[in-house]
Amino acid sequence: MIKLPQGWEWKSLGEICEVIMGQSPSGNCIFNKDKNKDLIEFHQGKIAFSDKYIKKSDFVTSDIRKIAKKNSVVLCVRAPVGEVNIASEDIAIGRGLCSLNGVKINNEFLFFYLLTLKKYFNDNSTGSTFKAINVKTIKETKIPLPPLQEQERIVGILDESFAKIDESIKILEQDLLNLDELMQGALQKAFNPLKDNAKENYKLPQGWEWKSLGEICEVIMGQSPSGNCIFNKDKNKDLIEFHQGKIAFSDKYIKKSDFVTSDIRKIAKKNSVVLCVRAPVGEVNIASEDIAIGRGLCSLNGVKINNEFLFFYLLTLKKYFNDNSTGSTFKAINVKTIKETKIPLPPLQEQEQIASHLDELSSHVKNLKQNYQMQIKNLQELKKSLLDKAFQGRL
């Protein structure tokens, strides 16, 4: 344990809090589901932890067994273990939740300290089916406790600081959404230059024509390898998994696969477009090298089309592919659907110009998004730094 400032002391939660473990209701418990979209589920202990305060539960029940009082701290003791909140009203809690009501501690001070203990609670949880923390672990958890006036001073600083940080994060998250909308708008303009959204009246510019993918592409559906397929896993962290068709779609280009195999059945050629035909249906990429593709992937290599132009157009078709996928266990699109998919095709020179423009914009958007995401990460780290200082008496 760290050395505490003068006047501080280590206390266990059992010493300074009323600890109430949640409990499932009996069978005659009735919820007013029509009035309550943010219903708290007793049996699983689920609750919205997206904000500091729980949304209004507005429940109706004939058998409330365990209550978290208004302003008490609510801790998630089952998956997701360690999430923490403050009750904005009296709420019924199920067996996945625990209420901590301070007797000798400011509840907001307790809330902020528990934010630092998520890893601790996860490390000290047990269970095979799902992880959970028990009442003994909770009650024995130690907290560095200053005098009440100092607790209130620290809470005031953290409240104000977190509010400003959260506002900055909110602005950055909106900036990220704006970038997505910018890219979507550019794609829409590129492939619908006449801005005619009425399908029955949709007209292409002069020189453009509708073509099916089967007419202008070599379409190769992936296939699983035989049992003697060998992968060089030591050299390849970004291994493509044949059987599930998983692939890294986080970037425009697939990372180097670096595979070694004695039985490569289906290949997506370098610079061909790779389409995910099973969950997640409609994701699209470009192969940065020859790669083996499993049954969850499809290769589209343009014969009469620029592959980059094809890549950008397919980015607009994710909903279409999902709407046209079939299957009960998981959704998938078949080769017939792919080959019959239509694309508005300008002359090759114009395809290249459009692809070049979108590529430049995509690169610019990507750089900005990385910048915003880094700023968000830094702000979240600032929160952690403030919490560390607060509970070491350095705030």
Side-chain angles (χ1 to χ4, degrees), residues 128-196:
S128 53
T129 307
F130 54 81
K131 295 293 185 181
I133 46 176
N134 58 37
V135 67
K136 182 174 182 291
T137 299
I138 294 167
K139 286 185 175 181
E140 290 178 353
T141 297
K142 300 288 187 179
I143 180 170
L145 201 65
L148 190 58
Q149 188 174 352
E150 177 67 359
Q151 293 177 37
E152 292 168 350
R153 184 189 72 84
I154 290 170
V155 164
I157 294 172
L158 291 177
D159 259 337
E160 183 179 356
S161 300
F162 272 44
K164 290 179 180 177
I165 293 171
D166 287 339
E167 181 60 30
S168 296
I169 290 175
K170 185 178 178 181
I171 291 170
L172 288 166
E173 288 174 340
Q174 184 59 54
D175 288 339
L176 287 171
L177 291 174
N178 292 342
L179 287 174
D180 288 336
E181 290 176 6
L182 172 66
M183 194 66 210
Q184 287 303 313
L187 291 169
Q188 176 72 9
K189 184 177 179 180
F191 301 112
N192 184 7
L194 300 182
K195 298 181 180 178
D196 190 348

Side-chain angles (χ1 to χ4, degrees), residues 234-245:
D234 293 331
K235 289 186 178 180
N236 176 32
K237 292 181 180 178
D238 300 305
L239 182 69
I240 293 168
E241 299 181 18
F242 282 72
H243 60 290
Q244 294 182 1

Side-chain angles (χ1 to χ4, degrees), residues 113-124:
Y113 183 67
L114 293 185
L115 288 179
T116 71
L117 295 186
K118 186 169 183 178
K119 184 178 184 302
Y120 165 83
F121 284 130
N122 275 272
D123 290 346
N124 287 275

Side-chain angles (χ1 to χ4, degrees), residues 347-376:
L348 189 59
Q349 186 176 356
E350 191 168 352
Q351 292 178 37
E352 291 168 352
Q353 290 171 348
I354 291 171
S356 177
H357 167 70
L358 292 175
D359 196 39
E360 184 179 350
L361 179 62
S362 176
S363 178
H364 181 59
V365 166
K366 178 187 171 184
N367 289 336
L368 283 174
K369 288 180 82 168
Q370 287 177 338
N371 179 270
Y372 294 154
Q373 287 162 349
M374 181 56 68
Q375 289 185 58
I376 290 172

Side-chain angles (χ1 to χ4, degrees), residues 5-19:
Q6 188 174 357
W8 291 47
E9 56 184 334
W10 286 103
K11 289 287 185 179
S12 66
L13 293 182
E15 292 179 89
I16 57 174
C17 292
E18 176 189 24
V19 180

